[in-house]
Amino acid sequence: MEMIKAREKPALLTILELLDKRMTLSSAEKQHLYAMSKGYDGEVLFDSMIEKYIDTDVLILNDLSLISGTTPFQIDSVVLTSDTLYLYEVKNFEGKYTNRSGQFHSGSGQELINPVNQLSRTATLLSKMLKKWKLTIPVQTAVVFVNPTFVLYEAEEHHPFIFPSQIATHFTAVNQRKGPLSTKHHSIAQKLMEETQKELPYRRQLPYYDFNELKKGLPCSRCGSFDLKHTTKKSRCQVCDTVTSVNELVLAQVKAFKILFPDRLVTSNNIYDWCNSMLPKRRITAILNTAYKRKGHSKATHYC
Ligand SMILES: [Zn+2]
């Protein structure tokens, strides 16, 4: 098993999570955050299953953003075996649904779009690209429902669904495709990597935020509470009782600061403010010195 492209947490998700701790998101933003976070958790769970079950020679590419002609499309996961390209769409749906007229309906009236049409469109676009590159391989699609609580009534036999209880069996079947990988497979992987777009601009999708208006302090790394008691070296969260080293806590917030404010310099003053003056400035400076390179002199000193 060779990981050609590992999954990364989307930057938009990371930033929304950070903002959620330090400002009040609108309900639409909260919903977006919840949906993204759930989707990402599902994908991570899927990756762990691949890791656990696949033990044959395959190439894996996750999270591809491609463009066929002018049509953009996304792929959650590709597994290349000697004779098949598996194209996976991962869904983290939870609870019981009934399949009816292109939608999944829950008992409480919730509706989800049946992902099968989207997936077959993706497969068509991908096959078109492969044909253009003269690299043909049969494409097999599957929607993988990773959440163990998901149940779908009246599923149609011909839909390429893999339910939680079938995942292990499916990967056992993939393991049977033992043929050796050739230059063709590596060329497909390489072409897909070349064609993959950088993360689409996400800044526009972010709520407006400003350094002065965000809540300052050192949040607990586990539950996000700002109610921490600090001793010289350790902090104890008053809500979940997690004990973290003060250094770790500050460095996590330097990282957050850099992600949220890529245009601002990391200085002792900025981080001191960002941590809500919870620690003496010289302590902040000492912590910055342990992990970052010092640049500039006196007032212009900052850390990279
Ligand atoms: Zn906590």
Side-chain angles (χ1 to χ4, degrees):
M1 178 169 114
E2 190 183 337
M3 181 62 71
I4 305 290
K5 184 170 184 288
R7 196 177 307 283
E8 280 171 38
K9 190 166 181 171
L12 178 60
L13 174 58
T14 304
I15 297 184
L16 283 176
E17 279 176 352
L18 291 173
L19 290 178
D20 188 38
K21 287 187 188 144
R22 293 180 183 263
M23 68 187 272
T24 310
L25 297 177
S26 71
S27 65
E29 286 153 4
K30 277 216 181 254
Q31 256 173 29
H32 190 190
L33 170 58
Y34 176 74
M36 276 187 89
S37 162
K38 200 170 165 200
Y40 180 69
D41 288 349
E43 289 163 9
V44 170
L45 179 59
F46 175 78
D47 294 347
S48 72
M49 290 166 173
I50 290 219
E51 181 94 14
K52 181 173 169 193
Y53 294 117
I54 292 208
D55 60 6
T56 187
D57 218 4
V58 299
L59 304 179
I60 298 174
L61 297 98
N62 293 316
D63 229 352
L64 301 172
S65 293
L66 301 165
I67 297 182
S68 168
T70 55
T71 317
F73 65 105
Q74 315 267 333
I75 294 176
D76 285 344
S77 201
V78 161
V79 173
L80 263 168
T81 68
S82 60
D83 61 4
T84 306
L85 183 156
Y86 288 93
L87 172 58
Y88 295 108
E89 172 76 18
V90 179
K91 291 291 175 201
N92 194 7
F93 296 161
E94 230 173 288
K96 293 175 179 166
Y97 286 83
T98 305
N99 176 43
R100 211 182 312 129
S101 48
Q103 285 184 319
F104 300 165
H105 300 260
S106 79
S108 61
Q110 254 198 318
E111 287 175 4
L112 299 169
I113 294 172
N114 183 339
V116 80
N117 296 334
Q118 175 76 23
L119 182 62
S120 82
R121 171 182 167 272
T122 304
T124 309
L125 293 169
L126 178 66
S127 301
K128 231 187 208 174
M129 288 180 106
L130 293 170
K131 203 170 162 195
K132 195 176 85 189
W133 301 333
K134 299 193 168 51
L135 293 164
T136 48
I137 185 162
V139 173
Q140 194 169 318
T141 61
V143 179
V144 186
F145 298 101
V146 288
N147 196 304
T149 68
F150 181 69
V151 178
L152 184 67
Y153 299 110
E154 293 171 41
E156 289 165 57
E157 281 290 317
H158 65 278
H159 282 166
F161 291 162
I162 299 174
F163 294 104
S165 62
Q166 302 171 322
I167 294 174
T169 317
H170 169 75
F171 286 134
T172 308
V174 173
N175 281 335
Q176 301 309 312
R177 305 187 176 278
K178 284 189 172 48
L181 297 177
S182 66
T183 349
K184 179 177 87 173
H185 304 95
H186 287 277
S187 302
I188 293 173
Q190 197 192 334
K191 284 299 276 178
L192 286 171
M193 285 302 281
E194 285 168 15
E195 295 291 319
T196 288
Q197 309 292 306
K198 290 254 151 45
E199 189 163 12
L200 302 168
Y202 58 85
R203 291 258 156 211
R204 272 179 297 137
Q205 294 183 57
L206 286 172
Y208 170 78
Y209 62 94
D210 178 275
F211 181 83
N212 296 317
E213 286 164 23
L214 294 185
K215 186 175 168 69
K216 310 296 189 303
L218 284 167
C220 166
S221 53
R222 181 153 165 233
C223 75
S225 161
F226 284 82
D227 188 7
L228 273 68
K229 279 224 158 61
H230 306 289
T231 57
T232 328
K233 288 203 164 143
K234 305 259 179 210
S235 297
R236 179 182 293 274
C237 175
Q238 302 301 292
V239 174
C240 75
D241 225 29
T242 299
V243 177
T244 324
S245 85
V246 171
N247 280 34
E248 250 174 67
L249 214 56
V250 172
L251 289 175
Q253 288 320 304
V254 176
K255 226 169 136 188
F257 175 86
K258 283 166 71 95
I259 293 170
L260 290 171
F261 304 103
D263 301 332
R264 280 191 171 228
L265 290 177
V266 174
T267 63
S268 299
N269 275 333
N270 279 341
I271 299 304
Y272 175 75
D273 291 344
W274 184 232
C275 299
N276 204 21
S277 342
M278 297 298 280
L279 300 169
K281 210 174 281 180
R282 55 185 155 66
R283 182 81 198 275
I284 301 271
T285 306
I287 295 174
L288 284 170
N289 274 318
T290 64
Y292 292 93
K293 270 215 173 75
R294 204 183 148 124
K295 291 252 169 88
H297 293 287
S298 61
K299 278 198 170 167
T301 304
H302 62 277
Y303 296 83
C304 300

